[in-house]
Amino acid sequence: MHIARKNPPLSLATRETSAMRRMLIAAALIVLLLFLFLPLAVIFREALRMGWQVYLDAIAEPYAVAAIRLTLVTAAIAVPFNLFFGIAAAWCIAKFDFRGKNLLVTLIDLPFSVSPVISGLVYVLLFGAQGWLGPWFAGHGIQIIFAVPGIVLATVFVTFPFVARELIPLMQEQGREEEEAALLLGAGGLQTFLRITLPNIKWGLLYGVLLCNARAMGEFGAVSVVSGHIRGLTNTIPLHVEILYNEYNFAAAFAVASLLTLLALVTLTAKTLLAWLYANKTGS
Amino acid sequence: MVRPRAASRPHTLPGFGLALGYTLFYLGVVVLIPLAGLVFKTFTIPWADFRAAVGAPRVMAALGLSFGAALVAAAIDVLLGLLIAWALVRYPFPGRRLADALVDLPFALPTAVAGISLTTLYSPNGWLGGFLNTLGVQIAFTRLGIVIALIFIGLPFVVRVVQPVLQDIEVEQEEVAACLGAGRLQTFLRVILPVLTPALVTGFTLAFARAVGEYGSVIFIAGNLPMVSEIAPLIIVIKLEQYDFAGATSVALVMLATAFLLLFAINVVQRRFRKRFWPA
Amino acid sequence: MWIPEVFRKVSGLLVGVALLAGGTGTFAASVLLNVSYDPTREFYQEINDAFSQHWRHLTGETVTILMSHGGSGKQARSVIDGLEADVVTLALAFDIDVIAALSGLVPADWQFRLPYNSAPYTSTIVFLVRKGNPRGIRDWDDLVRPGVAVISPNPKSSGGARWNYLAAWGYALKRWPGNDAKAEEFVGRLFGNVPVLDSGARAATMTFVQRGIGDVLLAWENEALLAVERFGGDRFEVVLPSVSILAEPCVALVEKMARKHGTEVLAQAYLEFLYTPDGQEIAARHFYRPRLEQIALRYRQRFPPLELLTVAGIAGSWRNAQTRHFADGALFDRIFQQRR
């Protein structure tokens, strides 16, 4: 983007020959096509193989609707939690210096590289009937795993770093001069945050939320461990896809999967749009 | 008690205590307590049992496979990611924005859907698998299939980390190199690559860390043969299904510790170069 | 009573389910959770409809039956960890034994609480081959021929695969009586021919049918017949070996949970319904061998007689089978370590 806008230097040695250029572009596109586009195409082809009617029926089927609702509910709880956490974490990490920062950032990243299977397992260890807290909760009539709270917890865990990780570098780059100036001019802390910081980070924030949301809706491994797979009750969309697939109901499985794929695509489009708006706004 | 260290100038920004307090509280509740539960659970297992569980040939083979396949996939991701990032940053071509958006797909696509889709594509009767089969190459249900799935999962990390660095490289440096008589390849190797190296290392580590634990997209395409194509997360699942909680947590702890060390290393590298993780 | 509670709390989620169950908008009905294994999805769907009708007829009460499916071992694990099942209908007695031993939710003598060892229907292990049987697979010996690709799930994670494994072991012991070394070698060669080891029975069927991998699928008889029905008799056929195993998928009341939910009577009636002519008819229709003589007679074309060994005869007991064959470091693990 901004490289392209700079005046191209005359010397050929800072540019590739046009043949080389075309070759590199072609190679990049082939990689994208093979590794990213084809898997996408497969989903839609399989989903629509039996026609639109089957596709729509699969999505409108009561169990599918229940799964879609549960997924929406889960994301609606998990994303705001991680959003507030992300802002708080980024505020103290990016705007202040303190000992143990590396460790803190590493711990925030941890859920990202923990195997989803382990993420589910730790909640079973804690809240399972044989776990440490499970019997206590069960005694009070509260069911955590194999019920909606467990699914929400696992989702929160898996999507934990997304917003924070997006905001930390962004806020670090922006430094703290603007906020300090506002405070000097007599603005309150909250006012400074709302008027100065938030506008500065809003695009990054939105992008983080979008990724967090996409991941929250699509998580399979961790949720699978804590869900109990009760049809119509604790099945999320990805689990419903697995069930349909296991029932030899391929068209329906891919149809429901395509919903999540569409969501991913909408997320990506929104993100591209945001990046574009952001670039225009800042003029960089 | 953690206190803000004196920075270059006196601190006036408010909210440190509140923000850090909330961060630590939330981190504790969501991440640390559950993970500590896992660690303590493992400590209740006698050392001999732990060693037997992790040291069993099948488990060792699976850990080796998970780490090995992740290593190979991350290395390939570095090559492919650099190529894609280069094309996206340096060359304006029609459809570039679309291609750019496509890169994030594996971030957003549910892993199980990716697994089913990749298996459909690469199995001997799929679009690509059929073609490769005539060449005598089988991908689905072999180790190659695992690597393919992991490449898919890790690719965006490399691209997204390399892209902004590539954008920030001053063309002047390249011009100087050219003026001094360096060829294009030489300029790339001597001037551009050293600047990119930290980003490439970061991208590699991220792709690797993500790939080691990956489950959803791999089990569909792996073949799951013990000693051959059985990944470590699958071992955990199977141990759980066999009511072997101790064994499952032992293997989980090994993977968890590795993930932590990897991430800590990368954060040290990252903070040194202050590069963005998921740049917009 | 968490299920009714959750039921009300997330009643919005359940509008669809209520509609399915023919509910008229009131959620006062009884709810039953049946935790089952993978290949029974279609079967229990029909049983649930029939039983709800039967129950309404009998008591006027509307009952909603929730289903959870997964690998048999995983499902048992979930029940132990707190999945509040009223009844479990699993692939093998061992998994219910473990629930009884580890959680005490099921009485230790559960297997004597219902007729026929608490197995209302049976099945066996058969071969599914591609149409025309191009590799000429007739019996167990053909599975260990070099170059024959056999598809079976992993006995460590799949209940069905344990039946596969034990059936092969039983055949070998019948062929070389008392010669365990021979049997070990035979089963080793058989699993040496397995190119893909899925974690569940359904996944293995998918590999064979959808992906086109392998020459023969070792499967439950019901799973094989269902695959033929779903994917066409022009693509696959079933081969019965000379001898196989009597597979008894078991059902049990999860007594403590049912008591907690106040669904004991209902849950017991649900399990007993499986033994009625109606239940047996549905089982037979879904390719399970019925226990009831009159239904078995009607479906005798579908289920040809064949010599069936029992787990007790082959391995003594499930516990023995588990420690000797399937536990970590036991025979099955050694097969794959040697294979490498």
Side-chain angles (χ1 to χ4, degrees):
Chain A
M1 292 170 219
H2 81 245
I3 295 288
R5 251 187 271 128
K6 279 186 181 163
N7 282 336
L10 292 173
S11 162
L12 259 182
T14 59
R15 307 173 60 187
E16 289 73 35
T17 59
S18 75
M20 186 67 184
R21 226 166 213 255
R22 283 204 198 108
M23 221 181 73
L24 285 174
I25 295 177
L29 286 180
I30 286 173
V31 172
L32 283 173
L33 181 82
L34 281 185
F35 281 95
L36 300 177
F37 182 73
L38 277 185
L40 191 66
V42 163
I43 295 168
F44 285 96
R45 192 189 84 132
E46 296 289 323
L48 292 172
R49 180 175 262 191
M50 318 280 273
W52 280 99
Q53 197 51 49
V54 174
Y55 183 89
L56 294 176
D57 285 351
I59 292 170
E61 184 249 349
Y63 284 127
V65 172
I68 292 168
R69 274 202 209 173
L70 177 59
T71 298
L72 292 178
V73 166
T74 305
I77 301 172
V79 175
F81 266 107
N82 285 337
L83 169 67
F84 286 120
F85 162 74
I87 293 173
W91 181 259
C92 56
I93 288 169
K95 305 278 180 186
F96 299 90
D97 290 315
F98 56 92
R99 207 166 298 168
K101 208 190 233 181
N102 268 344
L103 184 68
L104 182 60
V105 175
T106 304
L107 289 175
I108 290 176
D109 279 348
L110 201 54
F112 158 83
S113 65
V114 168
S115 179
V117 174
I118 299 178
S119 321
L121 170 66
V122 294
Y123 286 106
V124 175
L125 271 176
L126 271 189
F127 298 116
Q130 315 285 316
W132 288 330
L133 304 176
W136 187 86
F137 278 105
H140 290 73
I142 301 168
Q143 178 83 8
I144 293 195
I145 53 169
F146 309 122
V148 178
I151 295 173
V152 172
L153 272 177
T155 307
V156 168
F157 183 94
V158 170
T159 58
F160 183 83
F162 280 73
V163 177
R165 252 336 198 146
E166 183 59 31
L167 289 185
I168 292 169
L170 186 64
M171 281 165 74
Q172 269 172 346
E173 267 172 35
Q174 287 169 349
R176 46 187 173 233
E177 286 81 3
E178 287 186 53
E179 280 88 354
E180 281 167 351
L183 286 168
L184 272 180
L185 294 173
L190 188 67
Q191 211 181 358
T192 309
F193 176 76
L194 291 177
R195 293 279 186 82
I196 308 289
T197 315
L198 205 55
N200 274 340
I201 59 167
K202 64 182 172 202
W203 301 119
L205 191 66
L206 258 169
Y207 180 38
V209 166
L210 285 174
L211 275 182
C212 181
N213 185 53
R215 192 69 212 281
M217 293 192 172
E219 178 51 29
F220 172 75
V223 172
S224 164
V225 176
V226 296
S227 136
H229 303 265
I230 307 170
R231 223 173 172 173
L233 203 65
T234 62
N235 263 337
T236 60
I237 300 180
L239 299 179
H240 189 62
V241 170
E242 191 204 17
I243 286 191
L244 289 171
Y245 188 77
N246 274 338
E247 282 176 351
Y248 304 134
N249 206 342
F250 304 119
F254 279 101
V256 178
S258 77
L259 279 187
L260 284 171
T261 315
L262 278 177
L263 175 88
L265 289 179
V266 168
T267 305
L268 298 183
T269 315
K271 185 229 121 190
T272 311
L273 216 67
L274 285 178
W276 183 71
L277 278 174
Y278 180 64
N280 277 8
K281 276 254 160 79
T282 57
S284 71
Chain B
M1 182 64 214
V2 195
R3 275 174 196 289
R5 214 188 304 160
S8 48
R9 90 188 82 139
H11 255 282
T12 48
L13 290 189
F16 175 75
L18 183 69
L20 186 69
Y22 180 68
T23 300
L24 291 179
F25 168 75
Y26 189 75
L27 180 75
V29 170
V30 176
V31 179
L32 295 187
I33 293 178
L35 289 183
L38 178 74
V39 175
F40 287 131
K41 179 86 187 178
T42 321
F43 284 157
T44 63
I45 302 165
W47 171 245
D49 290 4
F50 176 82
R51 231 182 34 190
V54 176
R58 221 176 111 237
V59 177
M60 291 302 277
L63 284 169
L65 175 65
S66 271
F67 284 97
L71 211 66
V72 173
I76 296 174
D77 276 333
V78 165
L79 291 178
L80 299 182
L82 178 59
L83 172 72
I84 292 170
W86 184 271
L88 288 177
V89 170
R90 295 262 161 144
Y91 311 132
F93 58 89
R96 190 180 64 169
R97 187 147 277 154
L98 198 75
D100 192 52
L102 201 59
V103 170
D104 277 337
L105 182 74
F107 276 155
L109 198 66
T111 51
V113 174
I116 294 176
S117 168
L118 287 172
T119 313
T120 308
L121 200 55
Y122 285 99
S123 73
N125 54 15
W127 289 347
L128 285 177
F131 169 71
L132 289 168
N133 221 19
T134 57
L135 303 177
V137 183
Q138 204 198 330
I139 297 218
F141 313 115
T142 66
R143 288 177 176 179
L144 228 51
I146 300 176
V147 173
I148 292 275
L150 297 182
I151 291 176
F152 177 83
I153 293 297
L155 190 59
F157 291 105
V158 181
V159 179
R160 289 307 183 225
V161 172
V162 171
Q163 239 175 344
V165 184
L166 209 49
Q167 256 162 8
D168 288 345
I169 291 182
E170 302 288 330
V171 181
E172 286 75 12
Q173 285 181 13
E174 292 174 51
E175 283 172 350
V176 170
C179 287
L180 293 174
R184 188 61 190 144
L185 185 68
Q186 229 177 341
T187 310
F188 177 79
L189 290 178
R190 294 279 182 81
V191 178
I192 302 176
L193 207 55
V195 180
L196 286 184
T197 303
L200 288 174
V201 170
T202 306
F204 174 86
T205 320
L206 283 174
F208 179 71
R210 179 81 165 80
V212 168
E214 178 55 21
Y215 177 72
S217 59
V218 176
I219 41 158
F220 289 97
I221 203 171
N224 304 329
L225 285 181
M227 311 296 293
V228 180
S229 52
E230 191 178 38
I231 56 169
L234 180 63
I235 290 269
I236 298 178
V237 169
I238 290 179
K239 278 189 179 297
L240 278 180
E241 287 176 10
Q242 294 228 300
Y243 317 108
D244 180 9
F245 233 103
T249 47
S250 302
V251 180
L253 187 72
V254 172
M255 297 193 69
L256 188 68
T258 320
F260 178 80
L261 288 177
L262 270 173
L263 281 174
F264 192 73
I266 185 195
N267 276 323
V268 172
V269 173
Q270 257 198 329
R271 280 185 57 74
R272 196 159 293 164
F273 297 99
R274 280 221 168 170
K275 282 306 161 198
R276 302 189 44 194
F277 192 38
W278 288 309
Chain C
M1 282 206 284
W2 78 274
I3 289 183
E5 271 165 29
V6 171
F7 205 59
R8 256 172 241 117
K9 271 185 211 150
V10 283
S11 57
L13 278 177
L14 285 154
V15 172
V17 179
L19 286 177
L20 272 192
T24 49
T26 53
F27 289 108
S30 308
V31 183
L32 209 59
L33 175 59
N34 176 0
V35 171
S36 193
Y37 61 112
D38 256 328
T40 59
R41 297 160 193 279
E42 296 80 3
F43 167 53
Y44 275 110
Q45 224 163 1
E46 206 177 327
I47 284 282
N48 292 349
D49 288 346
F51 176 74
S52 316
Q53 244 174 38
H54 163 80
W55 192 250
R56 193 161 43 213
H57 204 72
L58 209 68
T59 64
E61 197 184 16
T62 305
V63 52
T64 303
I65 297 147
L66 298 171
M67 293 302 304
S68 166
H69 292 280
S72 190
K74 176 182 177 168
Q75 294 294 78
R77 175 84 247 170
S78 295
V79 172
I80 293 167
D81 280 329
L83 181 60
E84 299 202 350
D86 299 280
V87 298
V88 285
T89 52
L90 296 178
L92 57 163
F94 179 72
D95 287 326
I96 304 182
D97 281 339
V98 175
I99 297 177
L102 292 188
S103 73
L105 296 170
V106 176
D109 65 342
W110 64 272
Q111 212 164 2
F112 305 107
R113 299 279 177 107
L114 286 163
Y116 300 110
N117 300 324
S118 287
Y121 39 82
T122 68
S123 190
T124 185
I125 298 301
V126 300
F127 307 159
L128 187 69
V129 297
R130 305 200 183 276
K131 188 67 193 176
N133 198 354
R135 302 300 299 258
I137 288 155
R138 304 264 166 254
D139 204 354
W140 291 98
D141 285 325
D142 298 315
L143 303 188
V144 300
R145 283 200 324 242
V148 171
V150 181
I151 303 295
S152 163
N154 187 342
K156 293 176 78 95
S157 58
S158 156
R162 279 181 224 184
W163 294 110
N164 288 349
Y165 178 102
L166 288 177
W169 187 267
Y171 168 81
L173 279 187
K174 186 165 181 275
R175 197 164 156 200
W176 300 283
N179 193 340
D180 279 13
K182 266 292 196 204
E184 198 174 323
E185 189 210 326
F186 180 83
V187 174
R189 275 167 64 201
L190 196 159
F191 276 91
N193 275 349
V194 173
V196 177
L197 199 66
D198 287 293
S199 59
R202 214 16 100 71
T205 312
M206 210 72 85
T207 300
F208 183 76
V209 169
Q210 270 306 95
R211 308 287 170 222
I213 307 267
D215 302 310
V216 51
L217 172 74
L218 269 181
W220 295 96
E221 183 181 47
N222 54 291
E223 185 74 357
L225 290 171
L226 178 70
V228 170
E229 186 195 66
R230 282 292 168 93
F231 297 99
D234 52 338
R235 287 178 62 199
F236 304 100
E237 56 187 79
V238 172
V239 172
L240 289 182
S242 64
V243 56
S244 190
I245 193 166
L246 175 70
E248 295 184 312
C250 290
V251 303
L253 176 71
V254 186
E255 218 173 63
K256 282 200 179 150
M257 280 303 156
R259 198 172 298 150
K260 184 175 159 198
H261 302 156
T263 51
E264 271 173 298
V265 177
L266 177 66
Q268 186 68 26
Y270 178 73
L271 293 181
E272 279 165 7
F273 181 76
L274 296 169
Y275 290 89
T276 63
D278 284 347
Q280 293 280 298
E281 166 85 33
I282 295 172
R285 227 181 303 149
H286 287 273
F287 311 111
Y288 291 90
R289 294 189 174 217
R291 293 283 198 182
L292 219 59
E293 200 66 46
Q294 61 189 96
I295 309 293
L297 264 169
R298 199 178 306 157
Y299 283 89
R300 64 179 183 279
Q301 295 271 295
R302 179 176 277 185
F303 304 115
L306 121 121
E307 188 190 345
L308 297 177
L309 309 167
T310 63
V311 175
I314 295 169
S317 70
W318 273 115
R319 194 166 291 274
N320 285 350
Q322 187 67 23
T323 43
R324 173 139 190 239
H325 297 280
F326 308 126
D328 279 355
L331 255 174
F332 182 77
D333 274 356
R334 292 212 295 278
I335 286 172
F336 274 89
Q337 280 158 31
Q338 282 155 13
R339 183 182 150 166
R340 190 138 184 226

